Amino acid sequence: MGVIEVDLFSEEVTDPEHPEAVSFRKLLEAVADEYGCELLLFEVDQGTVSFSFDDDELTSEILKILQAKEEDL
């Protein structure tokens, strides 16, 4: 299981119950449902989101998307 970490929110978002974090978690859970897997980890610390799924294929796809976005910057 790989953990993905993304600086996604402002540093004021420090809690997984923050409305922005809750919205993102719901999105991740919907994606997990589409892939027939589960969201195993979801944490937020100073705007950085850490999450993982129990599906290596989905994790790999997300990493490819993030790398492509990084190259566009």
Side-chain angles (χ1 to χ4, degrees):
M1 166 185 80
V3 176
I4 299 171
E5 290 187 346
V6 181
D7 293 328
L8 192 60
F9 306 117
S10 66
E11 289 187 7
E12 289 79 35
V13 179
T14 60
D15 185 324
E17 298 306 316
H18 186 282
E20 290 179 63
V22 168
S23 179
F24 187 63
R25 181 182 185 136
K26 287 180 182 179
L27 172 68
L28 293 175
E29 289 171 339
V31 170
D33 283 344
E34 287 180 27
Y35 274 76
C37 65
E38 292 186 38
L39 179 66
L40 297 178
L41 171 74
F42 183 83
E43 297 176 348
V44 179
D45 183 32
Q46 296 181 354
T48 300
V49 178
S50 302
F51 60 94
S52 68
F53 299 97
D54 65 349
D55 185 293
D56 291 335
E57 181 181 338
L58 176 56
T59 300
S60 176
E61 289 298 316
I62 291 172
L63 288 173
K64 287 177 189 175
I65 292 168
L66 292 173
Q67 288 172 345
K69 293 290 183 186
E70 186 176 277
E71 291 172 5
D72 289 343
L73 294 178

